[in-house]
Amino acid sequence: MSKHTDAAGEVLLERRGCAGVITLNRPKFLNALNLNMIRHIYPQLKNWEQDPETFLIIIKGAGGKAFCAGGDIRVISEGGKANQKIAQDFFREEYMLNNAIDCCRKPYVALIHGITMGGGVGLSVHGQFRVATEKSLFAMPETAIGLFPDVGGGYFLPRLQGKLGYFLALTGFRLKGRDVYAAGIATHFVDSEKLDMLEEDLLALKSPSKENIADVLDAYHTKSKIDQDKSFILEEHMDKINSWFSANTVEQIIENLQQDGSSFALEQLKVINKMSPTSLKITVRQLMEGSSKTLQEVLTMEYRLSQACVGGHDFHEGVRAVLIDKDQSPKWKPADLKEVTDEDLNNYFKPLGSNDLKF
């Protein structure tokens, strides 16, 4: 068994049994992903992909509370305001890693136990297998901080059932436990007390094929007991979600929710009205465009959006209100959807020429 860890040990990379194991190791920060971690994971992933002795890759979070609560965006906001290159480097290298996970030729198993949001979704959802537990908590909460559901959200969200992805993207709605599986974010559900055994069984496989790995995961999934008879939390609302969120504009979605007037509709309306108007408009267009693009095309688009957001007002204000001062009262500019013009929006989606993300 070999271990590589950097000085701070923020990510552990180990060869164990038949697998390469990545452990996100910042439990005090809910394993938030930073540039240092990305720069350790990417080359190791590529090495293991080439290594004939490595048959699968497992990624998990340390500490039991989180898989990965997202990118370390506070650092990016501070760096972006000071015009440092970190905002370019972080998003570029994070999205390159998301793509590498998607293209990975070895089976990739993400154990998404605990909080899995934003950047943590990017480290898992593009992999072949995603294992949720009753402690899983999924969300893409970026519209609340003046950003958009990135890390390939423009690719995987519009491909969820009906308009579920649009709903999750605009509201930041949190899915818990078996619902993460029911929504299609996870491929399997395992009771958390069995997670260590599952990992040991995977590591003990001898030169496994993709099918051998799937068989082990399927067996654990079938035996899982927790909430096995529970229906999907959004099941009763899906017809309405599909109808409300099939509108082409944020304004029309809001009108649909107002016209419906049910308590669930008004609850979502209240949430959406707190979000950055610019972020909401970016997100609807991002998902609509992303629904017919490849993941690489989506990540290229999202890189353009990320740089425009870092250069704008709402992202820094959202980080301030939610993560720094924690007053939860961001002052968005523009403060009203009407003031976010098509011209403003087009500027966010503009190509960056030689600075574009290239694969």
Side-chain angles (χ1 to χ4, degrees):
M1 180 169 115
S2 57
K3 277 194 185 193
H4 323 258
T5 61
D6 62 85
E10 292 182 327
V11 59
L12 313 179
L13 304 162
E14 307 165 74
R15 269 287 286 112
R16 293 177 56 202
C18 65
V21 181
I22 303 164
T23 307
L24 308 172
N25 192 36
R26 298 180 74 205
K28 284 199 183 78
F29 303 98
L30 301 174
N31 299 322
L33 183 68
N34 62 26
L35 189 54
N36 172 50
M37 294 160 78
I38 294 167
R39 286 178 171 171
H40 279 79
I41 296 168
Y42 184 90
Q44 190 58 64
L45 187 67
K46 291 292 183 192
N47 287 344
W48 282 334
E49 203 175 359
Q50 300 301 324
D51 173 28
E53 297 301 301
T54 302
F55 290 88
L56 82 146
I57 292 157
I58 294 173
I59 185 167
K60 59 182 183 171
K65 274 182 77 170
F67 168 67
C68 170
D72 201 341
I73 47 177
R74 189 173 167 169
V75 174
I76 297 148
S77 173
E78 287 160 2
K81 283 197 289 199
N83 262 332
Q84 291 166 341
K85 244 173 102 256
I86 175 110
Q88 292 172 25
D89 294 343
F90 177 84
F91 287 110
R92 182 182 298 272
E93 294 179 41
E94 182 185 28
Y95 297 176
M96 296 288 280
L97 176 56
N98 299 149
N99 179 62
I101 291 166
D102 177 68
C103 301
C104 187
R105 293 201 303 273
K106 300 279 167 84
Y108 181 99
V109 180
L111 305 178
I112 52 173
H113 173 61
I115 300 165
T116 305
M117 296 185 184
V121 176
L123 292 177
S124 53
V125 77
H126 304 298
Q128 197 167 11
F129 301 112
R130 291 91 63 187
V131 182
T133 73
E134 77 281 3
K135 299 271 189 338
S136 295
L137 176 62
F138 163 94
M140 294 298 280
E142 289 81 4
T143 52
I145 54 160
L147 205 56
F148 57 94
D150 66 334
V151 297
Y155 181 82
F156 78 84
L157 288 164
R159 286 166 174 79
L160 297 176
Q161 56 182 291
K163 295 293 173 180
L164 177 61
Y166 290 80
F167 167 74
L168 296 172
L170 294 176
T171 63
F173 188 88
R174 296 177 165 202
L175 294 170
K176 297 179 182 143
R178 207 174 270 268
D179 289 332
V180 179
Y181 166 74
I185 303 294
T187 57
H188 295 80
F189 178 89
V190 171
D191 299 344
S192 64
E193 61 175 30
K194 298 279 195 284
L195 207 52
D196 288 347
M197 268 173 61
L198 166 64
E199 189 182 341
E200 292 308 317
D201 282 355
L202 289 172
L203 296 177
L205 291 169
K206 298 279 177 272
S207 313
S209 66
K210 186 180 82 183
E211 289 71 29
N212 300 148
I213 292 160
D215 287 345
V216 172
L217 293 170
D218 291 347
Y220 272 84
H221 175 85
T222 306
K223 286 190 298 220
S224 64
K225 300 273 191 296
I226 297 171
D227 294 335
Q228 64 190 134
D229 301 323
K230 187 171 153 278
S231 62
F232 181 40
I233 189 165
L234 293 170
E235 193 61 53
E236 56 179 312
H237 304 297
M238 273 317 297
D239 288 347
K240 286 194 160 180
I241 285 171
N242 293 341
S243 140
W244 300 331
F245 289 86
S246 58
N248 290 335
T249 65
V250 183
E251 288 90 342
Q252 187 59 55
I253 290 169
I254 285 176
E255 193 173 313
N256 291 346
L257 291 167
Q258 278 167 336
Q259 280 184 340
D260 182 279
S262 65
S263 66
F264 182 74
L266 296 177
E267 213 176 307
Q268 305 323 311
L269 185 62
K270 206 168 110 183
V271 171
I272 288 175
N273 281 332
K274 287 189 180 138
M275 304 305 191
S276 154
T278 303
S279 289
L280 292 170
K281 286 203 170 181
I282 288 172
T283 299
V284 166
R285 178 159 160 189
Q286 171 206 358
L287 267 60
M288 285 173 67
E289 291 198 7
S291 66
S292 58
K293 289 184 188 299
T294 65
L295 178 62
Q296 289 189 355
E297 289 166 343
V298 165
L299 291 168
T300 299
M301 166 180 73
E302 291 180 356
Y303 184 71
R304 294 167 183 167
L305 295 173
S306 75
Q307 297 311 291
C309 285
V310 170
H313 168 272
D314 279 6
F315 170 57
H316 303 290
E317 174 59 9
V319 170
R320 180 207 65 72
V322 175
L323 298 174
I324 299 173
D325 299 340
K326 299 192 165 109
D327 56 31
Q328 312 298 331
S329 333
K331 305 282 178 283
W332 304 124
K333 283 185 197 165
D336 201 310
L337 281 167
K338 295 195 290 290
E339 297 165 40
V340 184
T341 65
D342 286 346
E343 191 188 356
D344 294 334
L345 213 50
N346 290 338
N347 283 330
Y348 276 85
F349 285 82
K350 267 214 304 250
L352 300 173
S354 62
N355 289 325
D356 256 337
L357 178 61
K358 296 182 188 64
F359 295 98

